[in-house]
Amino acid sequence: MSIPRHIAIVMDGNGRWAQRRHLPRKLGHREGQKAVRATVEHCRQRGVAALTLFAFSSENWQRPGDEVHALMQLFVKALDSEVDELHRNGVRLTFIGDLDRFDAELSARMRAAMARTAGNDALRLNVAVNYGGRWDIAQAARGIAGAAMRGEIALDAIDELTLAPWLCLADQVPIDLFIRTGGELRVSNFLLWQLAYAELYFTDTLWPDFDAAALDAAIDAFAQRERRYGHTSAQLRATG
Ligand code: FPP
């Protein structure tokens, strides 16, 4: 059976999970953290190489102040409580996004967790914080424009192949499977460039209810897909 090497997830539905139980939304995010833990562990067990989670988008700053504050506190606590175990399990943690917008202490902790786990290779766990797909493409464009101004690359040489290394996750295997929980059918400015050939999978399950069986269902659906990359089915059969 074909296992996706890299899975990216929009973890949607924490707020609704809490509201349905007449609980404050922040309790939904706390419950969501448990689903993160279970998903990381299950990916590791199933031999997935990389998992990228959308934890906080560039647009999430617009939420009510107390919800943003609760999410920041959750991230700080999660860094304190989870990093030891991730490290013990050989997980390499990377944050992608514009980390400078966070307060200095939180961004320093994120950088410290990345440095601490940098030598691990059991699973790459990428957590997108203050991330947006358009931001990513813009920062890549800024990077390559700087290289062009320094004379390191000719303007004519800028194409898909030379721009790609400037984007987040360029050092990792391509995304095979995109999952969005919570019933919405959109990509919401997640990895716009990197999802070009990902298989898309949507489920009504709310993120706090997403467990090992739900992840297995997504992986099973992925295994049924025919990935053609612009070719025809007949061409794929001919080349095996
Ligand atoms: C979307 O649900 C979820 C978020 C904006 C936050 C995701 C954060 C976590 C799962 C917390 C733990 C994460 C880490 C990495 C420690 P929503 O609030 O938009 O839900 P709704 O659509 O039901 O309102």
Side-chain angles (χ1 to χ4, degrees), residues 18 22 69 82 91 94 116 125 157 166 204 228 240:
H22 307 288
H69 181 69
E82 309 286 348
V91 176
T94 302
R116 182 166 171 219
L125 172 60
W166 295 88
D204 288 335
R228 292 196 291 273

Side-chain angles (χ1 to χ4, degrees), residues 96-136:
I96 60 167
D98 186 359
L99 301 192
D100 294 332
R101 170 103 192 252
F102 295 103
D103 78 55
E105 199 201 324
L106 180 52
S107 59
R109 281 182 196 220
M110 289 181 190
R111 290 182 217 279
M114 288 196 268
R116 182 166 171 219
T117 59
N120 296 339
D121 61 5
L123 172 74
R124 291 214 58 167
L125 172 60
N126 310 298
V127 179
V129 286
N130 193 23
Y131 177 88
R134 290 176 176 172
W135 166 84
D136 194 358

Side-chain angles (χ1 to χ4, degrees), residues 56-74:
F56 195 82
S57 75
S58 322
E59 291 75 32
N60 283 152
W61 296 107
Q62 297 165 44
R63 293 195 171 197
D66 62 337
E67 185 171 342
V68 172
H69 181 69
L71 275 167
M72 294 302 139
Q73 283 195 319
L74 193 66

Side-chain angles (χ1 to χ4, degrees), residues 20-221:
R20 280 180 199 173
R21 290 164 177 75
H22 307 288
L23 297 168
R25 292 174 57 85
K26 65 180 179 192
L27 286 188
H29 296 310
R30 202 182 297 168
E31 205 61 27
Q33 189 185 342
K34 295 183 191 162
V36 169
R37 211 177 289 144
T39 300
V40 169
E41 187 47 29
H42 199 54
C43 280
R44 210 171 56 86
Q45 282 174 9
R46 295 223 49 187
V48 172
L51 173 66
T52 299
L53 302 174
F54 207 2
F56 195 82
S57 75
S58 322
E59 291 75 32
N60 283 152
W61 296 107
Q62 297 165 44
R63 293 195 171 197
D66 62 337
E67 185 171 342
V68 172
H69 181 69
L71 275 167
M72 294 302 139
Q73 283 195 319
L74 193 66
F75 295 150
V76 172
K77 273 203 193 150
L79 279 168
D80 283 346
S81 62
E82 309 286 348
V83 174
D84 280 347
E85 174 151 9
L86 291 173
H87 190 43
R88 250 198 316 279
N89 289 336
V91 176
R92 177 172 177 186
L93 181 60
T94 302
F95 291 96
I96 60 167
D98 186 359
L99 301 192
D100 294 332
R101 170 103 192 252
F102 295 103
D103 78 55
E105 199 201 324
L106 180 52
S107 59
R109 281 182 196 220
M110 289 181 190
R111 290 182 217 279
M114 288 196 268
R116 182 166 171 219
T117 59
N120 296 339
D121 61 5
L123 172 74
R124 291 214 58 167
L125 172 60
N126 310 298
V127 179
V129 286
N130 193 23
Y131 177 88
R134 290 176 176 172
W135 166 84
D136 194 358
I137 293 169
Q139 66 81 26
R142 204 162 44 240
I144 205 164
M149 281 171 68
R150 292 191 298 274
E152 292 160 15
I153 184 167
L155 216 49
D156 290 351
I158 298 179
D159 61 11
E160 291 173 32
L161 276 181
T162 50
L163 183 60
W166 295 88
L167 286 138
C168 292
L169 306 179
D171 59 329
Q172 301 188 38
V173 291
I175 295 169
D176 291 319
L177 175 61
F178 164 93
I179 299 173
R180 182 175 185 139
T181 62
E184 310 285 1
L185 307 180
R186 351 175 232 278
V187 172
S188 293
N189 199 20
F190 199 24
L191 304 151
L192 298 178
W193 175 289
Q194 296 87 340
L195 290 177
Y197 279 103
E199 294 298 326
L200 307 182
Y201 178 87
F202 297 92
T203 170
D204 288 335
T205 303
L206 303 176
W207 177 250
D209 294 325
F210 193 83
D211 57 10
L215 181 58
D216 283 340
I219 292 175
D220 288 349

